[in-house]
Amino acid sequence: MQEMNNSATESKLFELAASARGKAYVPYSGFPVGAAIETVSGNYYAGCNVENVSYPIGTCAEAGAIAAMVACGELKIKKILIIAGGKELIAPCGACLQRIKEFSTDETEILLATPRGIEKKFSLAQMLPFGFNNSELKHD
Ligand code: THU
């Protein structure tokens, strides 16, 4: 299979995230968000926010995309793109940055988009320089 170049993979991430955003279940906030992941092995997963009448148990788009990735046996995020409405660019919430960190590498990138396209790119380290990472909690 021919490898996709950087801009082709980013267009694919954008399309997948925008499509997932179109399916977001947001009857309470009215604020649809989509997320799409490219893994280190070159596969793609998408998610959207899913709200609930019990407000605190609603889930973010990033959490949905990560769950889809893990369910397919993948654990390493190369890029994650998050898309919300156009008025203001949104960043992942603190909890989602920690979720991304769990499945990150030193090169993991976060792409922030609006319906106009990709507007900003950051490394995870830029957005979460001191996330929780207690190696004592890990065991083989
Ligand atoms: N939301 C996300 O899906 N991802 C984020 O990074 C920020 C917020 C969702 C949660 C809720 O359904 C809606 O946006 C408004 O907060």
Side-chain angles (χ1 to χ4, degrees):
M1 194 179 76
Q2 203 193 337
E3 292 215 349
M4 283 193 281
N5 65 33
N6 212 30
S7 74
T9 65
E10 292 187 359
S11 302
K12 178 155 177 168
L13 279 172
F14 182 85
E15 294 306 324
L16 286 171
S19 167
R21 177 172 179 255
K23 299 192 172 61
Y25 178 76
V26 289
Y28 308 105
S29 74
F31 189 77
V33 182
I37 292 169
E38 180 195 359
T39 60
V40 166
S41 51
N43 293 313
Y44 293 83
Y45 302 94
C48 59
N49 48 341
V50 180
E51 298 182 345
N52 192 282
V53 65
S54 176
Y55 294 176
I57 69 167
T59 49
C60 285
E62 297 90 326
I66 289 170
M69 174 187 78
V70 174
C72 288
E74 294 218 45
L75 301 175
K76 290 285 167 218
I77 299 172
K78 183 173 179 190
K79 295 180 183 181
I80 180 166
L81 183 150
I82 297 107
I83 180 171
K87 284 189 199 137
E88 264 180 59
L89 195 59
I90 68 153
C93 72
C96 283
L97 288 172
Q98 183 70 35
R99 287 191 177 98
I100 294 165
K101 182 175 172 63
E102 183 78 18
F103 302 103
S104 67
T105 72
D106 289 343
E107 277 91 50
T108 297
E109 277 189 278
I110 300 178
L111 283 51
L112 305 181
T114 67
R116 294 182 295 278
I118 295 169
E119 311 252 4
K120 282 194 183 339
K121 297 182 195 179
F122 298 97
S123 65
L124 175 63
Q126 282 177 302
M127 297 202 84
L128 187 68
F130 298 107
F132 182 59
N133 184 20
N134 190 337
S135 56
E136 287 175 29
L137 289 177
K138 289 187 183 160
H139 51 88
D140 304 316

